[in-house]
Every structure is written in C-alpha cells, then in structure tokens.
Amino acid sequence: MEPPPLPPKTSGSDKFDEDWAKDLRVQFEQLLRTKRLNDLTDRRARSRSGSPTPRERPSSVNLRASTSSVSKSSSHHPPRPVSTSSQGIRRHGSNASLPPSYASLRSLPLLPSEPKDSQSLKFRNLLQSLAFTPTKYENPGLLDEALKSMPLDRIYSEADEESQVLQTLAASMEDGRKPEWGYQDCVIRALLRWFKRTFFSWVNNPDCSKCGSPTIARGMTPPTPDEVARGGARVELYQCSYPQCGAHERFPRYSDVWTLLQTRKGRCGEWANCFSMLCRAVGGRVRWVWNAEDHVWTEVFSEHQKRWIHVDACEEAWDNPRLYADGWGKKMSYCIAFSTEGATDVTRRYVRNPVKQASERNKCPEECLLYILREIRQQRRDSLSKEERYRLNKEDEREERELRAYVAHAIAVEVTNMLPGSLGSPISPSAMSPSSPMVVDDQKHPVGRQSGSPEWIQSRGEGGAAQPREGH
C-alpha cells in the first residue's frame, strides 16, 4: 500500500491542519487493519498446510533487519506479513529476503504462555517474591505505628489549604472544569513534602559512629541474625577514614518497614518502601514499582483523576513519569507495579520512546511475562467479591487504554517531527484535554537525579540525558 499523500502545499498555519491529521490517522488505521487481516490469513493457511515457521520475537534489531529486507524486495510482488526467525529463515531455498513479521509490530494480542525454560522460571520466582512487598503494608499494628510517627495535623492542614486553592483556581476559569487534584491527592502531596524534607535521610556513606568522620566503602559483609530478622539480608561494610580511628561501620539494607520507621535512613529502596507504607496508612491505594535497572518508587491511585500517579519520595517527584528516561537519561527494560490487587507491567508509562530509551527485555518472552502477571493478579484477587473483581477489571482496562495512548502519542510525535517545517507539536492543543496526562507530561521539564552524592549519581549514569553513562 502506498503511503498517504502529503497535502497540497499552502502558506501559513494551514499547511498541516487538523483535517489533514485526521485523514492521515484514518489511512494509517486502515493500513493496520489490512496488515492484520493479511497476517491472520497467512497464519491460517500455514496451519492447514503444515507446521508453522518459528515466530520472530519483537525487538529493535529484528525491526531494523526487517526494514532493510523490505527495501530490497521486488516491487512486483506486494509484501505480505509472514513469520520469520530472528536468524532470517528463508523458504524453499529462496534467495529473496522475507518481509517483516507483522507480529513484530505487536499489533496482534499476546497469549499467556506458562514459563518452561530455566531463565523464565527464575524471573517468575523473582516477581513472585517481589509481589509480597506491598502485602506487608496491610499489618494493622504497623499502620497504627505509622500514623503515630506522622504529624497528621500538619499534613491535613496543608492538604486542606492546597485543596481550597485548587478549587478556587478551577472555579475562576468559569468553564466547569474540575480542580486539578482532589483532597486525598493533596494529602499524599503534603505527606511527600514532609517525608522528603523532615522525616527520612539519604545515606551515601554512613559517618563513623565513634568519631563522626567520613567512611570508606569496604564491600559487603555477612549479616548478623538480628539484621536478618529485620530484613537486612545485605550489609555494606565501611571503615573510618580517620587513621587514628579506623573503626568499621555496618550499614544493613533493611527491608522491614517497622525497622525503617525507627532508623529513618537509607537509599531509594528504603525510601520507597517506607513512604509507600505511610501512603497506605493515610488511606491511599498504593503500588510499589520495581525497575530492573536498580530503582524503585511508588504509585498512588487518584480517585479524582481515576488513574495511577507516579510518586518518587527520593526526588520529591509527583506525577512526573518521564523523570527517569528524559531527566536522568536512564534506559529501562522492566517497570513492574505490585499492589495487594496484583501486578502490572507499567513500562510504557515511563519509557515513551522504546527505540531511544528502552533496554532489551530479555528476562523471559513477553507471553511468559503476561502469564506471570496474570498469575499474581489471580492470586491476589481470588478472595475478593465478584463485584470487586469486576471493578478492578474495568480499572485494568482503563489503565491499558492509558498506556496505549502513551505509545500512540509517542508515535505521533515522531511522525510529526519528520514533516518539513514541523515544530514538534503532534496534536493541536485544542484537540486534547488540557488535563490529559500526555499534555501535562509534555509541559514538564525533568532534570537529572538530585538524591545521592555527585560521584554516586555519575557512577550510575543518572545525572542527565547528556551525561555519559558509566555505571551500566
């Protein structure tokens, strides 16, 4: 199918107007429908004639190889999508390169597949163990202790003040819009400010407990039984830099939230763990988000906006999901959100440009990941009522539409930036709601990592997109 023709050249702002954009979208959707039909027809024909050829795994390498193959194929025979292996399997000894698999564009739904190989089973065990983290926040005694540690009068007073300001601002627009955030959102925002500025402390190298001098890292050391009992399975060892002292300092990486309420210090793991539990204590619905590239953060559900909000206590970041890829220059493969209601792959919320910002997803096939996440979700929801499961399923569908919209928006940006004279704005502001997550994210300007020492940030390559990445 020929690409959609460009509109006739005109002068002024009507060169690429909304009608042209709508027509381009319609033609693009029609092209996708045609390719899907061709692929399904081809797969059905192969199933009748014999064993199917191995299915190509979607990856940027395969896509680039497929694109090169298409450019070399004959123009007399319109290409139809067929499955090929990643090694470039040829049929019947033909020297002609096969066209790309439409499955590589991920337009066909994945079917969950139970993990069988050792690597997939290892990843399954990891995710199953991580899924227990947010269940610890449901301990009533722990939640009571958390409430005692917080200045609730101060937090609720700040939340009430901010909520009134937002309501007044919305009313002043005189267009019937809702406030940007609801009262419960303001409570979490106030909690975030107090937690970052007053309650918790960041630890680079712990100071010497004897003389107060800085310490030097000496590697890891075995934990004591008491440290293990409090979730400190990993213990870092430091030595005092003052020659006349030379004392050793232990820094257990505690995962027990009760212990963290007492120590009130750590790095991103301790910060996210403790903050997530405090959000739960004030009534928030919480997710603990694990990233395969050594970072964790929190998501809180906004009943006001009916979506999950990114919150990073280390950075005092609120609803800024592009912080890591755009601000830190961090490439990410997996971002999995765990809650008492299941597990969700939210990578698309944080990686908007897979070609430039994504690391290879090689822990297991995508079909196996889908199986694992559904397995965790089923385990968490089996005891819920039918009505509650229905509500959560509808919520899952709404989030899936949101994540797909991020992908579509990113594609629109790339396509528009390829047009002559483009200013980089794929959609007219009037065509989208001002409160749309895509519009709000486009208006933010993420910066490099703020928490941690400059040397530590540089070693991890998280100081900014322009900084050389040395730590990965």
Side-chain angles (χ1 to χ4, degrees):
M1 179 178 291
E2 293 294 331
L6 291 174
K9 294 184 177 181
T10 59
S11 60
S13 60
D14 294 334
K15 187 175 183 180
F16 300 111
D17 57 13
E18 294 185 15
D19 290 338
W20 175 85
K22 180 179 179 181
D23 182 65
L24 180 63
R25 176 181 61 79
V26 171
Q27 294 186 52
F28 182 67
E29 291 176 350
Q30 182 61 41
L31 176 63
L32 291 182
R33 294 191 191 98
T34 302
K35 291 175 72 66
R36 181 181 288 111
L37 179 61
N38 289 343
D39 189 69
L40 291 173
T41 303
D42 187 73
R43 289 171 59 187
R44 189 177 296 111
R46 288 200 307 271
S47 65
R48 294 195 185 110
S49 60
S51 300
T53 58
R55 180 177 178 181
E56 180 185 37
R57 293 205 180 282
S59 70
S60 57
V61 176
N62 292 332
L63 287 175
R64 286 194 293 270
S66 299
T67 304
S68 174
S69 300
V70 172
S71 62
K72 297 178 182 178
S73 62
S74 172
S75 60
H76 299 290
H77 301 281
R80 293 183 62 186
V82 294
S83 297
T84 66
S85 69
S86 57
Q87 287 78 21
I89 293 178
R90 304 175 187 276
R91 286 186 181 174
H92 309 299
S94 172
N95 293 326
S97 298
L98 291 172
S101 161
Y102 188 52
S104 66
L105 298 180
R106 304 188 185 191
S107 58
L108 296 176
L110 294 175
L111 298 179
S113 176
E114 185 175 2
K116 300 292 185 181
D117 61 284
S118 60
Q119 184 176 357
S120 298
L121 291 172
K122 181 179 179 181
F123 192 50
R124 177 190 190 180
N125 292 336
L126 172 63
L127 296 184
Q128 286 280 8
S129 64
L130 293 174
F132 281 102
T133 300
T135 63
K136 302 173 184 177
Y137 307 152
E138 302 303 308
N139 185 328
L142 178 63
L143 296 177
D144 288 341
E145 189 69 19
L147 290 173
K148 294 177 183 178
S149 66
M150 290 185 284
L152 295 177
D153 290 343
R154 168 184 167 182
I155 291 173
Y156 285 115
S157 176
E158 290 184 10
D160 187 64
E161 181 178 350
E162 183 180 26
S163 179
Q164 291 183 20
V165 170
L166 293 176
Q167 291 179 20
T168 302
L169 181 62
S172 67
M173 304 303 292
E174 299 182 348
D175 56 3
R177 71 175 62 186
K178 298 192 305 181
E180 183 179 8
W181 302 107
Y183 177 74
Q184 183 63 21
D185 302 327
C186 295
V187 170
I188 302 296
R189 285 162 62 90
L191 174 63
L192 174 64
R193 292 189 293 268
W194 167 78
F195 187 88
K196 166 70 174 179
R197 303 175 189 181
T198 305
F199 185 72
F200 226 71
S201 300
W202 183 270
V203 174
N204 292 308
N205 289 17
D207 293 335
C208 178
S209 58
K210 293 187 176 180
C211 68
S213 301
T215 59
I216 302 172
R218 296 302 186 196
M220 308 297 292
T221 187
T224 65
D226 178 67
E227 290 168 342
V228 173
R230 295 192 287 171
R234 295 172 55 246
V235 180
E236 300 173 1
L237 184 64
Y238 296 83
Q239 186 175 15
C240 180
S241 59
Y242 185 52
Q244 281 70 28
C245 179
H248 286 85
E249 196 72 25
R250 303 171 66 88
F251 178 42
R253 303 301 305 275
Y254 291 122
S255 61
D256 179 66
V257 190
W258 189 290
T259 301
L260 294 178
L261 286 175
Q262 316 307 319
T263 63
R264 303 183 181 185
K265 64 181 180 180
R267 300 197 194 106
C268 56
E270 292 88 347
W271 280 66
N273 202 7
C274 189
F275 178 74
S276 298
M277 187 271 299
L278 294 180
C279 290
R280 188 73 189 98
V282 296
R285 288 178 58 196
V286 174
R287 279 174 170 176
W288 179 78
V289 185
W290 170 83
N291 167 237
E293 285 68 40
D294 193 26
H295 191 50
V296 287
W297 59 88
T298 307
E299 285 185 349
V300 178
F301 189 78
S302 170
E303 293 291 347
H304 186 74
Q305 293 204 9
K306 301 299 180 185
R307 64 183 178 94
W308 288 95
I309 306 298
H310 159 255
V311 190
D312 192 323
C314 300
E315 306 293 293
E316 198 178 324
W318 171 269
D319 194 26
N320 194 5
R322 289 164 60 171
L323 171 66
Y324 313 116
D326 291 355
W328 295 8
K330 187 179 182 72
K331 288 191 174 183
M332 299 183 288
S333 55
Y334 297 94
C335 299
I336 311 296
F338 299 97
S339 72
T340 56
E341 299 156 352
T344 305
D345 183 359
V346 294
T347 309
R348 288 171 289 176
R349 178 173 290 128
Y350 301 94
V351 180
R352 302 295 177 86
N353 190 327
V355 176
K356 298 179 182 178
Q357 300 173 339
S359 293
E360 185 179 3
R361 291 165 64 98
N362 55 9
K363 301 291 186 183
C364 72
E366 295 298 320
E367 296 87 346
C368 292
L369 177 61
L370 184 60
Y371 179 94
I372 297 169
L373 298 181
R374 288 193 178 184
E375 182 180 42
I376 296 174
R377 187 174 298 176
Q378 183 176 357
Q379 292 169 353
R380 295 290 177 269
R381 299 182 182 182
D382 269 350
S383 59
L384 300 179
S385 65
K386 181 178 179 181
E387 293 75 15
E388 184 69 6
R389 289 199 302 269
Y390 178 81
R391 182 186 66 81
L392 291 174
N393 288 338
K394 288 298 181 182
E395 189 177 286
D396 294 338
E397 293 173 2
R398 184 167 58 245
E399 182 176 28
E400 178 62 23
R401 290 193 296 269
E402 175 194 340
L403 297 176
R404 289 181 179 178
Y406 291 135
V407 176
H409 183 72
I411 294 175
V413 171
E414 292 297 318
V415 171
T416 304
N417 287 340
M418 294 168 59
L419 298 175
S422 169
L423 298 178
S425 177
I427 301 177
S428 171
S430 61
M432 298 182 67
S433 168
S435 61
S436 167
M438 280 78 72
V439 173
V440 174
D441 291 345
D442 287 342
Q443 296 171 350
K444 296 177 180 177
H445 303 283
V447 296
R449 183 163 193 160
Q450 306 299 304
S451 55
S453 66
E455 297 78 15
W456 184 77
I457 294 174
Q458 185 177 9
S459 70
R460 293 168 59 90
E462 296 173 349
Q467 173 183 296
R469 296 176 56 80
E470 302 175 358
H472 294 279

